[in-house]
Amino acid sequence: MSVEMNFDGLVGPSHNYAGLSHGNIASSNHKGKAANPRAAALQGLAKMRRLLDLGLPQAVLPPQERPLIPGLCALGFGGSDVQVLESAFSHSPALVANYSSASCMWTANAATVTPSADSADGRVHFTPANLTAMPHRALEDGQTQRILSMIFADAEHFAVHTPLAHTPLLGDEGAANHNRLCASHGQAGVEIFVYGRDALGPKTDLKFPGRQTLQASEAVARLHGLNEDNSVFYPQSATAINAGAFHNDVVCVSNETVLFFHESAFDNPSALEAEVIAKAKDFTPQFIMAPAKDVPLGDVISSYLFNSQLVTLPGGDMALILPTQVEETASTRAFVDQTLAGDNPITQAYYLDLRQSMANGGGPACLRLRVAMNAAQQSAVHSGVVMTQDKISVSENWVKTHYRDRLIIDDLGDVKFLQQSRDALDALTQILDLPNLYDFQRTST
Ligand code: SUG
């Protein structure tokens, strides 16, 4: 039987607020504030535990190596690893902040995933996102490809592609701009690629970056063996991007038959709905749209209503996994209550404290990469990353042992912090049975 497994990003020890993401309001608003990596990682693990408690399969993607010493070496900083960090930091703390970001925790941006029911060759396809739009995120794709290749190593079931080239033509932000509608996870569906910018089209009036290009979405669909009958390409509205919805998953989420979104997400939602209905051969899509008159776009972006996880529970009903900010905002709370009472499959809502991640613009949906798999594919996943209650407890203890509870930009140049981060990641590779995952485990000086 097919299920959807969520691969959550384990928050790395260098979680901090450097204000690196132009167009991401939360990131800009928290620039320079002290972060609490320990609380951030524990909040993420508590979310994983909640999903396990609900009976849903849960796995984890490890953090990437940060500070990224090989990246700084490639910029000409030399000597031992400690000297590289010290000279880079004395040259530019802002540069080191880019090479220290824990942004890979938002695994909705790790890759785009096409389940085998949709792909031409019957395998699950992954394209690691190049994340070209933001300098600190453009450092992620090499390690992402390595991590995915270790976890989804079985070529009979999985295809892990090379990321698209780093060019503005092909800005790719992964599953954060990808929705899939289907009767149930194991059945063929319609994949909706939402883009922020047509890199070959006329100039638009975007105030903030439209990170995902149409050309990247089309390339990913081709690589994954999709065709025009099971894929849709649709622009996100400039209104949403200019208000701070830097990814589509800030204003829209899908699960099986349901597309749950805000009226301002798309300029012409009815045209999108019509195209999806025409391509949905054996199921009836359900569109749940929050009207702007009831739920202001500003409330959507500050609360992250649509950055919820929409999941199918073992009994068949659907649940929303939401940040507590949605409960605290009158308009969004009212819309959730109205949705639960309405004639649709969503019957439950859970509010979780993810404030550390939210302060950098990452809600529940940002923290997970969804992979729908049949039974054979599930058993081919590297078992070390599959979470159990016990493994969550072990991971919590690991966080409590290795993570700081306060981190500011100045700490990123501290060589003791470099060593602490490496000790943490080294211990994690044992917990997740991913030996020699990190460069420093093979080459450090
Ligand atoms: O790319 N924030 C991330 C948040 C990504 C959220 N993901 C999804 N919506 N799927 C970003 O803007 C902030 C880092 C900083 O400012 O320190 C950051 O990278």
Side-chain angles (χ1 to χ4, degrees):
M1 129 133 189
S2 289
V3 292
E4 176 180 88
M5 188 178 271
N6 282 294
F7 287 74
D8 275 44
L10 191 47
V11 178
S14 66
H15 162 67
N16 74 91
Y17 299 128
L20 300 176
S21 281
H22 179 54
N24 169 344
I25 313 276
S27 155
S28 302
N29 286 346
H30 290 86
K31 179 175 180 163
K33 301 234 160 81
N36 184 338
R38 181 185 303 186
L42 293 175
Q43 287 168 2
L45 286 162
K47 179 168 90 64
M48 296 183 221
R49 198 186 280 289
R50 175 59 67 94
L51 268 87
L52 268 185
D53 286 342
L54 290 171
L56 301 171
Q58 180 68 53
V60 77
L61 293 185
Q64 299 197 359
E65 177 172 344
R66 297 290 184 275
L68 188 60
I69 299 296
L72 294 170
C73 288
L75 304 183
F77 296 104
S80 68
D81 291 356
V82 162
Q83 287 166 330
V84 167
L85 182 63
E86 283 179 338
S87 51
F89 196 79
S90 71
H91 172 72
S92 167
L95 184 69
V96 172
N98 275 273
Y99 282 74
S100 300
S101 175
S103 54
C104 57
M105 65 206 257
W106 298 297
T107 55
N109 305 121
T112 306
V113 184
T114 288
S116 56
D118 294 351
S119 66
D121 66 359
R123 294 190 294 169
V124 185
H125 285 250
F126 302 81
T127 297
N130 62 22
L131 295 166
T132 290
M134 295 289 144
H136 65 296
R137 303 222 58 185
L139 303 171
E140 293 174 25
D141 63 351
Q143 280 190 67
T144 303
Q145 184 181 3
R146 180 173 165 78
I147 290 166
L148 294 178
S149 301
M150 288 171 90
I151 294 174
F152 303 102
D154 187 337
E156 187 192 331
H157 295 297
F158 306 119
V160 177
H161 296 271
T162 302
L164 300 179
H166 280 260
T167 152
L169 178 68
L170 297 175
D172 179 18
E173 302 275 322
N177 296 303
H178 177 247
N179 290 287
R180 178 171 187 263
L181 293 183
C182 54
S184 68
H185 290 305
Q187 287 176 267
V190 179
E191 302 200 9
I192 307 169
F193 293 80
V194 181
Y195 57 92
R197 187 165 58 89
D198 175 355
L200 299 177
K203 217 172 152 12
T204 54
D205 51 359
L206 287 180
K207 167 173 96 166
F208 290 142
R211 297 193 198 185
Q212 179 82 29
T213 67
L214 168 61
Q215 289 69 28
S217 297
E218 290 172 335
V220 170
R222 267 190 300 271
L223 288 163
H224 290 198
L226 298 172
N227 58 59
E228 62 185 35
D229 293 332
N230 64 3
S231 57
V232 171
F233 301 90
Y234 208 83
Q236 181 162 324
S237 75
T239 309
I241 294 173
N242 288 342
F246 53 96
H247 289 138
N248 181 245
D249 67 5
V250 177
V251 282
C252 180
V253 62
S254 60
N255 185 55
E256 295 190 330
T257 54
V258 174
L259 194 72
F260 184 62
F261 64 100
H262 189 260
E263 183 178 5
S264 306
F266 309 104
D267 279 336
N268 186 353
S270 322
L272 171 63
E273 292 179 14
E275 189 174 347
V276 172
I277 290 168
K279 292 185 176 176
K281 299 279 183 296
D282 56 1
F283 66 97
T284 307
Q286 292 170 280
F287 301 101
I288 305 178
M289 186 180 82
K293 70 174 178 29
D294 298 337
V295 190
L297 184 55
D299 284 359
V300 166
I301 291 176
S302 59
S303 71
Y304 263 39
L305 167 62
F306 296 100
N307 202 259
S308 50
Q309 285 179 256
L310 183 55
V311 294
T312 304
L313 299 169
D317 285 2
M318 293 190 196
L320 283 164
I321 313 294
L322 301 138
T324 40
Q325 283 86 339
V326 173
E327 196 174 21
E328 293 161 2
T329 305
S331 66
T332 55
R333 171 70 203 243
F335 189 70
V336 171
D337 289 344
Q338 183 190 320
T339 302
L340 298 185
D343 182 16
N344 67 70
I346 308 175
T347 60
Q348 297 179 38
Y350 298 93
Y351 295 98
L352 302 186
D353 177 2
L354 293 163
R355 287 183 198 278
Q356 284 291 320
S357 171
M358 286 283 286
N360 250 342
C366 299
L367 286 162
R368 61 88 177 98
L369 185 68
R370 322 164 78 166
V371 187
M373 288 179 283
N374 62 32
Q377 292 157 352
Q378 286 165 56
S379 47
V381 171
H382 171 67
S383 62
V385 297
V386 176
M387 286 312 223
T388 59
Q389 298 286 0
D390 280 355
K391 191 163 276 196
I392 291 186
S393 302
V394 169
S395 305
E396 284 167 345
N397 287 335
W398 166 79
V399 169
K400 288 175 191 157
T401 308
H402 292 284
Y403 278 49
R404 295 190 179 187
D405 60 6
R406 183 174 195 278
L407 200 67
I408 57 171
I409 302 300
D410 275 349
D411 296 323
L412 302 176
D414 174 2
V415 296
K416 287 200 289 296
F417 176 66
L418 169 66
Q419 194 52 52
Q420 283 170 355
S421 300
R422 288 182 165 183
D423 289 346
L425 297 184
D426 197 35
L428 182 67
T429 55
Q430 290 167 36
I431 297 172
L432 303 182
D433 189 22
L434 288 169
N436 286 330
L437 171 62
Y438 297 111
D439 272 344
F440 74 85
Q441 293 176 306
R442 302 187 294 269
T443 60
S444 69
T445 52

